[in-house]
Amino acid sequence: MTHVETEIATQPEVWPRAASLDLDALPRRGQRVAVVGCGTSWFMAMAYAARRESLGHGETDAFQASEFPRGRAYDLVVAISRSGTTTEIVDLLGGLSGPNLAIVGDPTSPAAARAGAVLALPFADERSVVQTRFATSALALLRAGLGEDVAALAADARSAVDAPLPLDPAAVEQVTFVGQGWTVGLAHEAALKCREAAAFWTEAYPAMDYRHGPIAIAAPRRAVWTLGAPPSGLAAEVTATGATFVGAGEGATLDPMAELILAQRFAVALAQHRGLNPDAPRNLTRAVLLDPR
């Protein structure tokens, strides 16, 4: 079993550990919050920001760390970084004057040293280059801070670890992931896993916007996979193109964060079908360290 397969399978056990950390350090209801990250961590920031606002906890923005608007004022800036060494994150934390929090895998990392407060998840850290359980554990922690039941999420995660894959890696040449609201970030993350682990052509869009151009590539041997409930009529429109539609139907019970586990597993299966090692993705390193400018 590869490292990434092991790490995917341990998410049901790791999420409740993340939720047991100090939730008082997380954003409080009513605070104006920015959440930043790079790559996978940015997509978790997107998901949390939309989720927090939708639950009425307060205005929340998400930014790729290098694009953070330094002229804006926030009550708290939350930075997510597995390694805690990513250049953009370390530089941003070093330049902030207001309250900030780093959620990291390594409590001894440069990001942890520069942050005003730290929540460390070393039990969720990974050997893999491709992120899976750290990202979802960080999101589980943040959702626990919103009062969500992480024990129930972990039960859904267990179901997703054991469930059959909804697509055969040998039967598709392209997949587009879509979401709505907070699951748009999850859709971007699902697509990234397939690109990273399997060098596979994937795209991601807000589900309502998918009709505005991207549906032009739908065809037989291609698929559209929704994270969370799809908009009315989308499944039929996709099916009419000859493409396969994968999504939560009537009576679906899995939380979209658990559905992401299915996409993670699909990415690994794709890599193995294509003769690739998902623990050694092409052109990638575990963290991005930029040369000083």
Side-chain angles (χ1 to χ4, degrees):
M1 183 175 285
T2 62
H3 296 315
V4 70
E5 287 176 290
T6 299
E7 289 154 2
I8 289 170
T10 58
Q11 287 172 104
E13 291 73 46
V14 175
W15 291 0
R17 292 188 65 183
S20 71
L21 298 181
D22 180 14
L23 303 184
D24 290 338
L26 296 173
R28 299 189 303 275
R29 184 182 290 270
Q31 283 188 311
R32 186 167 188 257
V33 175
V35 195
V36 300
C38 297
T40 287
S41 295
W42 177 32
F43 299 144
M44 296 302 102
M46 289 171 58
Y48 171 66
R51 186 70 174 168
R52 184 173 186 264
E53 284 208 3
S54 72
L55 294 176
H57 282 252
E59 183 177 341
T60 318
D61 296 325
F63 300 101
Q64 204 282 345
S66 66
E67 302 303 312
F68 180 78
R70 296 184 182 256
R72 293 191 192 177
Y74 290 96
D75 298 316
L76 182 68
V77 176
V78 179
I80 306 171
S81 176
R82 176 179 66 174
S83 70
T85 62
T86 301
T87 300
E88 298 101 302
I89 293 289
V90 175
D91 287 351
L92 176 61
L93 287 171
L96 293 176
S97 57
N100 59 83
L101 165 69
I103 299 175
V104 297
D106 181 358
T108 67
S109 64
R114 293 196 177 193
V118 178
L119 286 173
L121 288 67
F123 51 85
D125 206 347
E126 297 157 327
R127 295 181 63 179
S128 299
V129 172
V130 175
Q131 278 202 60
T132 55
R133 75 176 178 195
F134 174 80
T136 57
S137 296
L139 186 53
L141 165 64
L142 289 162
R143 292 182 68 182
L146 299 176
E148 299 198 66
D149 184 354
V150 175
L153 299 180
D156 281 359
R158 172 51 58 198
S159 296
V161 166
D162 295 335
L165 292 178
L167 282 178
D168 178 358
V172 290
E173 65 179 15
Q174 191 276 334
V175 178
T176 298
F177 292 91
V178 298
Q180 296 190 95
W182 75 281
T183 70
V184 173
L186 301 185
H188 281 293
E189 172 59 8
L192 181 64
K193 291 306 91 162
C194 295
R195 291 193 293 268
E196 288 179 328
F200 184 77
W201 175 22
T202 49
E203 300 182 0
Y205 300 94
M208 290 298 290
D209 204 55
Y210 177 73
R211 298 176 172 97
H212 295 267
I215 196 171
I217 68 167
R221 290 188 56 80
R222 297 180 183 175
V224 176
W225 184 333
T226 180
L227 279 295
S232 177
L234 183 61
E237 291 176 45
V238 169
T239 302
T241 70
T244 300
F245 186 82
V246 177
E250 292 292 331
T253 58
L254 285 186
D255 184 272
M257 197 165 82
E259 292 176 8
L260 178 60
I261 292 176
L262 288 170
Q264 294 171 342
R265 292 176 50 217
F266 176 69
V268 172
L270 272 172
Q272 293 169 339
H273 171 70
R274 293 160 69 90
L276 301 174
N277 178 1
D279 283 341
R282 189 171 65 189
N283 304 327
L284 295 178
T285 56
R286 194 171 178 276
V288 177
L289 308 180
L290 304 178
D291 292 333
R293 292 182 293 276

